[in-house]
């Protein structure tokens, strides 16, 4: 589904990713772990199309299409969706309005036509319940005055409504207490499907107790230095990243 | 309407020899006392009105154009302007929509203006006039039953001279400022509204429905009076872009609210802004002022300004009556090479007066925009309160936003709050929306409309919808 080959990315002249290669197939859950500054968030940002990242070498393809050639919104319309570590506030824009606009923009781009309003409301209410969110969330401005936990839940709510093919979640666990993390993890787990892949970017292993990945990649200094199964994450938790770096070196 | 009488009047005037060109309804460029006499006579005005105009003209001659605004434009040659242009006769107007600039029609379509109204806005002769006349007649009957007077200012001068003498120029004196003086001398059109004691006007009044709205002149004069406990909501302006060969637009609007009266005045202004290089476009120099003359009276200005090459406009409230309230809600959008210096003045004179200011400025392209606001609390305004919120949003990196707040506090019991923010339209906000599959253009419009929400919700419903559409049209291509 997603193929990243020998990806080199610079930000303001500094090379952050130095030849990253990664393949994610439908139905799989991958976790990327690594120390701060290793380039974890850069990877998902480049795939989503954020400005300010220069790809100097390598390719990213999604379902055979060249992602790097696509506009930001085209990537989302193709089924690539990024859940943000720090979702921005958009004052005056209702949450429900953003959800509806996003869903319909994606549907129209795929030739499916806009979803009728009653059907949309039913869908949103169902997913809200899943995320244990009150309906009043829909009427609030996007992320404005949301607590850290509410913002993260809101990101997952968007995933549940928009149903991407590849959900990329950037540090979705940061700043969550244990109860909120369970709710978020339940949401993510409900996304698991044969035709969908999930990419988790995280600093800590604890999230992976709730969302068990098929593959764990350790990203150090712009490269994946080790790949393994869920056990690898546990080792990391015990020995830290330094142990890995030493074993690689 | 008195259009036939007008026609006759106009024809008769030619014989009097004010203009040599019998075929033309337009005065040659130039301004002197004869020009003013011509206008006054053409309007069938009484002698006292002419004197009033001439007094304004003589004062104007001694005045100088203001230079304090943060605006840059070449000096205006007042002798190169024609001060009277009669509405185009039906045979001179486009006979069908086929003859209208397709670009203009495209914009109407984007704004969602109904087909028959598009014709009216574009100045098409036949159906438009029919429509408006019948609509206007229906309205007149209903208003008449309620005792509300709604007519052109010229009609009011002829038919209600006592009201005009009592109120005209009492809020904005003839020599109030350079442009107001010019307007007082040469105004040719505008609206008059009188709502008698205890009456709530049964409908929202709009220039939109006035048959001459499509050919409104350069110098409008509007006067709205609400007697005690009377209420009116007035909508001004055309929500569609008007191509206009005129360069200078200097209007004066006066509002008078007596005890417990409420006037709500909403404007959506979208005059031609000039092209992307700053060629052409309207210079909009407008004096708007409301006088809360009575106790507990309330005047509310809501404006959405998207047009004009230059905007110089400060709708204000003089809060004279005890516990009176002044409000100003504004969205100003500039794109291309537009310049706007706009804001408000809240003059607190009476005890317990309150004012509320929410100003939202959006600059895009190479435009430049300033908010200029004065809050003045007089010595007798015990317990006066003001709240000001002033937010600027920048799109791109070639535009400018400035804030000039002035406060003159003459009373220690007053409470003043001022909040101001300037933000660049967030790259992060745009990316967030786009990464959900929303196009850049739709994302900008979503973010900008969200930014303006506090003001849009003050607009009457149908205006709010058009204002949003207008914003989108104005900002088209602002990013990228």
């Amino acid at each position: 589904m997603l193929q990243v080959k020998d990806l080199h990315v610079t930000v303001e002249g500094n090379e952050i990713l130095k030849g990253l290669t990664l393949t994610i197939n439908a139905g799989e859950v991958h976790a990327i772990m690594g120390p701060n500054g290793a380039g974890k968030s850069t990877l998902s940002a480049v795939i989503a199309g954020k400005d300010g990242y220069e790809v100097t070498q390598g390719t990213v393809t999604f379902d055979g299409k060249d992602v790097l050639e696509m506009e930001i919104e085209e990537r989302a319309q193709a089924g690539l969706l990024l859940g943000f570590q720090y979702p921005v506030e958009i004052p005056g824009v209702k949450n429900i309005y953003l959800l509806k606009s996003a869903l319909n923009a994606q549907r129209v781009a795929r030739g499916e036509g806009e979803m009728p309003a009653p059907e949309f409301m039913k869908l949103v209410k169902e997913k809200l319940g899943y995320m244990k969110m009150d309906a009043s969330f829909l009427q609030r401005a996007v992320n404005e005055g949301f607590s850290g936990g509410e913002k993260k839940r809101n990101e997952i709510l968007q995933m549940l409504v928009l149903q991407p093919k590849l959900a990329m979640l950037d540090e979705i666990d940061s700043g969550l207490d244990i109860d909120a993390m369970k709710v978020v993890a339940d949401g993510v787990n409900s996304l698991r499907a044969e035709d969908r892949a999930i990419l988790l970017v995280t600093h800590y292993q604890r999230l992976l107790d709730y969302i068990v990945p098929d593959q764990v990649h350790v990203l150090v200094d712009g490269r994946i230095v080790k790949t393994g199964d869920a056990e690898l994450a546990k080792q990391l938790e015990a020995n830290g990243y330094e142990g890995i770096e030493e074993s690689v070196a | 309407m008195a259009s036939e009488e007008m026609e006759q009047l106009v024809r008769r005037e030619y014989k009097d020899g004010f203009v040599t060109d019998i075929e033309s309804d337009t005065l040659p460029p130039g301004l002197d006392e004869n020009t003013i006499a011509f206008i006054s006579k053409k309007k069938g005005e009484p002698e006292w009105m002419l004197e009033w105009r001439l007094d304004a003209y003589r004062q104007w001659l001694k005045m100088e154009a203001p230079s304090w605004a943060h605006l840059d434009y070449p000096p205006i040659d007042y002798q190169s302007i024609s001060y009277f242009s009669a509405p185009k006769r039906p045979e001179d107007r486009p006979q069908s929509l086929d003859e209208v600039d397709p670009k203009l029609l495209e914009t109407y379509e984007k704004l969602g203006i109904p087909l028959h109204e598009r014709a009216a806005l574009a100045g098409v002769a036949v159906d438009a006039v029919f429509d408006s006349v019948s609509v206007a007649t229906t309205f007149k009957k209903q208003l008449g039953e309620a005792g509300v007077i709604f007519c052109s200012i010229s009609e009011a001068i002829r038919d209600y001279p006592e009201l005009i003498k009592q109120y005209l120029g009492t809020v904005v004196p003839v020599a109030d400022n350079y442009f107001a003086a010019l307007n007082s001398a040469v105004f040719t059109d505008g609206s008059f509204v009188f709502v008698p004691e205890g009456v709530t006007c049964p409908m929202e009044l709009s220039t939109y429905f006035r048959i001459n709205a499509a050919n409104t002149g350069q110098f409008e004069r509007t006067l709205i009076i609400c007697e005690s406990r009377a209420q009116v909501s007035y909508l001004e302006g055309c929500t569609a872009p008007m191509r206009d060969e005129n360069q200078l637009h200097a209007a004066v609007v006066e509002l008078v609210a007596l005890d417990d009266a409420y006037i709500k005045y909403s404007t959506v202004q979208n005059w031609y802004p000039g092209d992307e290089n700053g060629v052409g476009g309207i210079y909009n120099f407008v004096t708007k002022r409301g006088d809360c003359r009575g106790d507990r009276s309330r005047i509310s200005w809501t404006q959405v300004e998207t047009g004009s090459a230059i905007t110089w406009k400060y709708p204000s409230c003089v809060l004279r009556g005890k516990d009176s309230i002044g409000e100003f809600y504004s969205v100003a959008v500039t794109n291309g090479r537009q310049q706007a210096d706009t804001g408000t003045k809240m003059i607190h004179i009476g005890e317990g007066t309150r004012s509320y200011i929410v100003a939202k400025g959006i600059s895009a392209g190479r435009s430049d925009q300033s908010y200029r606001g004065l809050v003045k609390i007089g010595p007798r305004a015990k317990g006066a309160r003001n709240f000001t919120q002033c937010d600027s949003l920048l799109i791109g990196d070639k535009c400018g936003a400035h804030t000039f707040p002035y406060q003159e506090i003459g009373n220690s019991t007053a409470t003043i709050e001022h909040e101001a923010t300037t933000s660049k339209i967030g790259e992060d906000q745009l990316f967030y929306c786009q990464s959900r599959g929303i196009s850049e253009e739709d994302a900008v419009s979503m973010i900008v409309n969200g930014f303006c929400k506090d003001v849009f919700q003050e607009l009457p419903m149908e205006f709010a919808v058009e204002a949003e559409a207008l914003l989108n049209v104005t900002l088209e291509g602002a990013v990228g």
Side-chain angles (χ1 to χ4, degrees):
Chain A
M1 181 179 272
L2 180 79
Q3 285 199 302
V4 181
K5 273 189 197 158
D6 191 30
L7 188 64
H8 291 250
V9 175
T10 59
V11 179
E12 289 168 359
N14 298 320
E15 187 164 53
I16 306 292
L17 295 184
K18 303 170 178 173
L20 186 145
T21 297
L22 175 70
T23 299
I24 299 178
N25 298 309
E28 295 176 349
V29 176
H30 289 236
I32 293 194
M33 301 185 71
N36 287 329
K40 300 190 301 286
S41 294
T42 300
L43 176 64
S44 51
V46 167
I47 296 173
K50 194 168 167 50
D51 222 20
Y53 297 82
E54 196 192 345
V55 176
T56 52
Q57 200 178 317
T59 57
V60 179
T61 56
F62 182 67
D63 285 344
K65 280 178 283 189
D66 183 356
V67 172
L68 301 177
E69 284 300 304
M70 295 160 90
E71 298 289 339
I72 302 164
E73 59 268 27
E74 288 170 352
R75 302 179 193 202
Q77 290 158 5
L80 269 169
L81 204 63
L82 173 64
F84 285 67
Q85 181 179 5
Y86 302 111
V88 289
E89 302 187 357
I90 310 179
V93 177
K94 282 184 188 173
N95 222 5
I96 181 128
Y97 185 66
L98 176 77
L99 267 179
K100 195 175 172 192
S101 305
L103 180 67
N104 282 331
Q106 294 195 14
R107 288 175 60 103
V108 168
R110 293 193 293 258
E112 293 164 17
E114 294 191 358
M115 184 181 273
E119 199 183 318
F120 172 73
M121 281 316 296
K122 205 175 145 230
L123 174 73
V124 170
K125 287 213 168 118
E126 181 201 320
K127 305 301 185 189
L128 264 180
Y130 210 98
M131 294 311 294
K132 299 193 166 50
M133 292 165 83
D134 190 86
S136 64
F137 264 91
L138 300 175
Q139 302 303 321
R140 288 168 66 183
V142 176
N143 293 317
E144 198 181 35
F146 284 27
S147 70
E150 286 172 339
K151 284 184 182 171
K152 296 297 169 69
R153 273 192 233 190
N154 201 36
E155 291 295 291
I156 304 299
L157 174 71
Q158 292 182 10
M159 295 277 169
L160 296 182
V161 171
L162 297 172
Q163 301 273 317
K165 283 189 192 164
L166 173 64
M168 299 183 287
L169 301 168
D170 187 12
E171 308 254 356
I172 200 71
D173 52 334
S174 67
L176 292 187
D177 63 31
I178 198 74
D179 293 327
M181 185 146 81
K182 279 182 185 163
V183 173
V184 164
D186 281 350
V188 175
N189 282 325
S190 79
L191 279 168
R192 295 181 94 135
E194 270 182 25
D195 56 354
R196 178 176 299 125
I198 298 170
L199 175 62
L200 300 167
V201 172
T202 181
H203 190 72
Y204 298 105
Q205 188 268 338
R206 62 173 192 166
L207 178 71
L208 306 183
D209 286 341
Y210 299 95
I211 309 167
V212 181
D214 300 300
Q215 286 194 36
V216 174
H217 311 277
V218 182
L219 182 64
V220 176
D221 194 25
R223 283 187 206 92
I224 289 176
V225 295
K226 193 158 189 179
T227 294
D229 58 13
E231 276 306 307
L232 177 58
K234 296 214 165 79
Q235 287 173 25
L236 284 174
E237 181 78 356
N239 305 330
Y241 292 110
E242 281 175 21
I244 295 279
E245 284 172 62
E246 280 162 22
S247 72
V248 170
Chain B
M1 298 296 288
S3 57
E4 246 173 65
E5 292 161 42
M6 264 298 278
E7 193 89 343
Q8 283 172 6
L9 209 67
V10 167
R11 284 181 206 289
R12 197 176 63 231
E13 295 304 328
Y14 292 139
K15 290 179 192 149
D16 290 351
F18 268 99
V19 249
T20 46
D21 184 358
I22 306 269
E23 292 304 309
S24 168
D25 273 359
T26 302
L27 263 183
L31 179 58
D32 57 22
E33 296 201 358
N34 281 332
T35 321
I36 291 161
F38 173 87
I39 293 169
S40 185
K41 203 155 194 185
K42 217 154 196 180
K43 293 275 163 192
E45 288 176 356
E47 188 61 28
W48 57 266
M49 195 65 228
L50 174 61
E51 284 309 318
W52 196 86
R53 286 176 180 275
L54 290 173
D55 171 46
Y57 175 69
R58 287 165 198 152
Q59 299 205 51
W60 177 74
L61 284 177
K62 293 183 225 144
M63 298 169 84
E64 274 181 33
S67 57
W68 43 262
H70 189 76
L71 298 170
D72 179 24
Y73 58 96
I76 298 166
D77 178 4
Y78 294 90
Q79 296 303 332
S80 70
I81 295 170
S82 169
Y83 289 84
F84 188 84
S85 178
K88 280 182 185 160
R89 285 168 298 179
E91 58 269 28
D92 295 337
R93 305 162 79 181
Q95 295 303 304
S96 77
L97 278 175
D98 300 339
E99 295 175 31
V100 176
D101 182 358
K103 228 178 157 179
L104 189 61
L105 295 177
E106 199 182 298
T107 311
Y108 288 167
E109 201 176 325
K110 283 182 194 153
L111 289 173
I113 292 170
L115 212 60
H116 63 280
E117 284 174 23
R118 286 182 212 172
L121 291 172
V124 172
V126 199
D127 295 345
V129 175
F130 256 158
D131 272 5
S132 325
V133 169
S134 57
V135 168
T137 316
T138 324
F139 275 10
K140 278 228 152 144
K141 186 156 174 275
Q142 217 182 326
L143 290 173
E145 281 164 6
V148 175
I149 302 169
F150 178 36
C151 62
S152 75
I153 195 91
S154 309
E155 279 179 85
I157 290 166
R158 289 195 303 270
D159 300 345
Y160 310 101
E162 293 315 310
L163 286 175
I164 295 289
K165 278 187 198 166
Q166 189 182 346
Y167 290 104
L168 190 73
T170 63
V171 184
V172 180
V174 288
D176 182 80
N177 67 67
Y178 190 77
F179 298 108
L182 178 64
N183 172 285
S184 301
V186 302
F187 72 86
T188 44
D189 208 334
S191 300
F192 176 75
V193 178
F194 178 80
V195 189
E197 194 174 332
V199 171
T200 296
C201 186
M203 66 191 70
E204 280 173 340
L205 300 181
S206 168
T207 48
Y208 203 65
F209 293 117
R210 285 216 352 252
I211 55 162
N212 54 355
N215 281 302
T216 316
Q218 291 166 272
F219 302 99
E220 295 156 59
R221 183 96 196 181
T222 294
L223 174 61
I224 299 177
I225 301 143
C226 267
E227 288 196 328
S228 302
R229 302 188 319 281
Q231 290 196 17
V232 69
S233 169
Y234 185 86
L235 318 180
E236 170 201 48
C238 174
T239 58
M242 272 188 171
R243 298 301 160 106
D244 201 316
E245 66 266 26
N246 297 328
Q247 285 298 301
L248 177 65
H249 178 251
V252 172
V253 176
E254 298 179 279
L255 312 181
V256 180
L258 302 185
D259 287 354
D260 300 290
Y262 175 32
I263 301 175
K264 183 175 173 64
Y265 193 105
S266 312
T267 307
V268 174
Q269 183 267 116
N270 187 30
W271 300 101
Y272 183 50
D275 67 14
E276 58 269 39
N277 299 316
V279 177
I282 300 293
Y283 290 178
N284 197 29
F285 295 93
V286 176
T287 305
K288 288 183 165 174
R289 196 172 304 155
D291 189 353
C292 284
R293 214 165 274 187
D295 293 347
R296 297 166 304 277
S297 57
R298 177 177 168 202
I299 288 178
S300 174
W301 298 101
T302 307
Q303 61 170 21
V304 177
E305 303 276 324
T306 63
S308 297
I310 287 182
T311 301
W312 179 96
K313 184 182 168 188
Y314 316 91
S316 307
C317 295
V318 181
L319 303 168
R320 225 180 283 279
K322 204 175 157 204
D323 296 321
S324 59
I325 299 172
E327 293 162 299
F328 175 74
Y329 305 98
S330 169
V331 166
V333 188
T334 50
N335 196 358
R337 299 255 179 184
Q338 281 176 276
Q339 303 176 58
D341 193 305
T342 185
T344 185
K345 287 189 274 186
M346 293 291 174
I347 314 293
H348 293 254
I349 296 172
E351 259 179 53
T353 46
R354 279 172 289 162
S355 62
Y356 193 67
I357 299 169
V358 179
K360 305 271 184 178
I362 300 158
S363 327
R366 292 172 171 274
S367 67
D368 209 357
Q369 192 176 129
S370 305
Y371 167 80
R372 190 180 300 277
L374 168 68
V375 176
K376 186 172 181 174
I377 313 272
R380 287 190 294 117
K382 260 190 251 160
R385 303 177 76 93
N386 163 265
F387 173 79
T388 300
Q389 185 189 336
C390 180
D391 300 321
S392 310
L393 187 68
L394 305 174
I395 303 178
D397 54 9
K398 294 189 178 66
C399 52
H402 317 268
T403 305
F404 303 100
Y406 305 88
Q407 293 178 344
E408 296 174 21
I409 316 297
N411 192 306
S412 59
T413 60
T415 313
I416 309 286
E417 291 173 72
H418 184 98
E419 289 176 11
T421 65
T422 300
S423 49
K424 208 165 161 316
I425 195 166
E427 294 287 330
D428 288 344
Q429 289 175 333
L430 272 181
F431 177 60
Y432 189 78
C433 295
Q434 284 181 274
S435 73
R436 265 80 194 115
I438 298 166
S439 72
E440 185 174 44
E441 208 161 272
D442 288 349
V444 168
S445 127
M446 188 186 277
I447 294 164
V448 168
N449 276 303
F451 175 77
C452 299
K453 191 143 200 193
D454 299 349
V455 174
F456 282 174
Q457 67 194 13
E458 294 297 326
L459 285 171
M461 189 61 183
E462 68 275 23
F463 248 37
V465 173
E466 294 200 19
E468 280 189 28
L470 188 60
L471 215 66
N472 298 346
V473 170
T474 308
L475 291 175
E476 238 170 47
V479 177

